[in-house]
Amino acid sequence: LTRGLYFQANYTYSKAYTDFEGSDANFSALLDLGLGGVVEKKRQTNDVTHVFKANAVWELPIGPGKRLLNFDGFLGHVFSGWQMNGIFEQRSGRPISFISGRGTLNRNGRSGKNTATTTLSLEELKSSMGIFFDPVTSRPLVIDPRLIGRDGRANPEFFGHPVPGTDGTLHLTPVSGPGFWNFDFSMIKRTRISERTNVEFRAEFFNVFNHTNFSVPNQLDINSPDFGKINSTFDQRILQLAWKFTF
């Protein structure tokens, strides 16, 4: 803390691959049991490529002993003891898989991991991911509306099911969903009452800018009538006020 200011920031670049996410108890659910993990090799569902975080604390230079309004008395108590704090986070999206729901490679109970076929190149599929809105209902989508059919399922022009004995042409987790950013902010006022007692007031704002961060599932089932649709978000702005008496 220097002259009332403290801050730090960090950036993480990472990549996490796996051929099995689970425990010893569910090895039997593997789609490629006995094939050495070839089919299920993928980015982990919690893999986030880019993460940037920063936080800061600033004690305002106001009040007795400070550069501004340096005087005692009632006004000194009113204007002194203020502190501002902030926490910022921005990260890239989590991986998404396109699931066929067909047990063409292994028994049907494992079809939840069998991917779909597609006529799109990987780059075309990646460029079709993001935040879109249904042109009719204005409902938020994670994929370009043209890839969704009239029945709400995946457009058969672009997505299909693998033939018996094969898996889909897509590998698991080939694309990423929308990113996330959030800024939390707080103001704290500490007022000394006596040598041993003081009062603290806190105003805390979570997601202070009320930015909408969409929560997207890590699997999109091409058979679902809600294919590509976003059904939930992270918390909107939350204000929390608190008083604390210390003695």
Side-chain angles (χ1 to χ4, degrees):
L1 191 68
T2 304
R3 296 183 179 179
L5 179 64
Y6 162 86
F7 66 90
Q8 66 174 0
N10 62 77
Y11 166 76
T12 301
Y13 173 81
S14 65
K15 186 69 68 176
Y17 283 100
T18 185
D19 60 3
F20 174 66
E21 284 188 298
S23 65
D24 293 342
N26 62 3
F27 263 115
S28 62
L30 286 172
L31 182 66
D32 55 5
L33 194 62
L35 298 179
V38 177
V39 176
E40 292 198 50
K41 183 179 179 181
K42 62 175 182 175
R43 291 168 58 199
Q44 289 186 184
T45 53
N46 63 350
D47 174 52
V48 177
T49 306
H50 305 284
V51 179
F52 175 78
K53 297 180 180 180
N55 61 80
V57 174
W58 182 30
E59 294 180 349
L60 300 186
I62 301 174
K66 306 292 185 179
R67 290 187 292 110
L68 303 176
L69 302 180
N70 183 10
F71 48 81
D72 295 314
F74 175 76
L75 290 181
H77 280 290
V78 171
F79 291 108
S80 66
W82 285 97
Q83 177 180 302
M84 300 173 64
N85 312 277
I87 301 175
F88 176 78
E89 178 182 1
Q90 184 169 12
R91 61 177 185 254
S92 54
R94 297 183 182 277
I96 294 177
S97 296
F98 291 84
I99 302 302
S100 70
R102 300 288 176 85
T104 53
L105 182 67
N106 208 320
R107 68 174 183 261
N108 194 56
R110 300 171 183 172
S111 60
K113 296 183 179 181
N114 199 0
T115 61
T117 62
T118 183
T119 59
L120 301 170
S121 68
L122 186 57
E123 290 305 316
E124 288 174 327
L125 189 59
K126 288 180 178 179
S127 66
S128 299
M129 305 301 294
I131 298 298
F132 303 86
F133 293 90
D134 188 299
V136 177
T137 65
S138 298
R139 185 172 179 177
L141 308 170
V142 72
I143 196 168
D144 192 318
R146 69 187 181 91
L147 303 185
I148 302 176
R150 293 183 178 180
D151 61 355
R153 295 173 171 81
N155 189 334
E157 180 182 346
F158 302 104
F159 296 99
H161 298 97
V163 299
T166 69
D167 59 337
T169 56
L170 286 169
H171 58 273
L172 291 164
T173 62
V175 298
S176 295
F180 172 99
W181 71 264
N182 181 70
F183 183 63
D184 297 331
F185 174 77
S186 69
M187 295 189 67
I188 300 174
K189 170 70 169 77
R190 297 185 177 95
T191 303
R192 180 177 294 278
I193 304 301
S194 67
E195 183 176 346
R196 295 186 177 183
T197 60
N198 65 76
V199 174
E200 179 180 300
F201 168 73
R202 305 175 67 96
E204 299 170 327
F205 302 84
F206 302 94
N207 188 12
V208 62
F209 294 116
N210 203 29
H211 173 68
T212 302
N213 288 298
F214 294 98
S215 179
V216 179
N218 58 23
Q219 290 188 352
L220 297 181
D221 187 340
I222 66 171
N223 307 291
S224 171
D226 280 341
F227 175 77
K229 297 179 177 64
I230 298 175
N231 296 312
S232 61
T233 63
F234 291 92
D235 287 338
Q236 56 187 353
R237 179 170 50 225
I238 298 173
L239 169 61
Q240 178 175 287
L241 303 177
W243 289 88
K244 183 168 68 174
F245 176 68
T246 304
F247 58 94

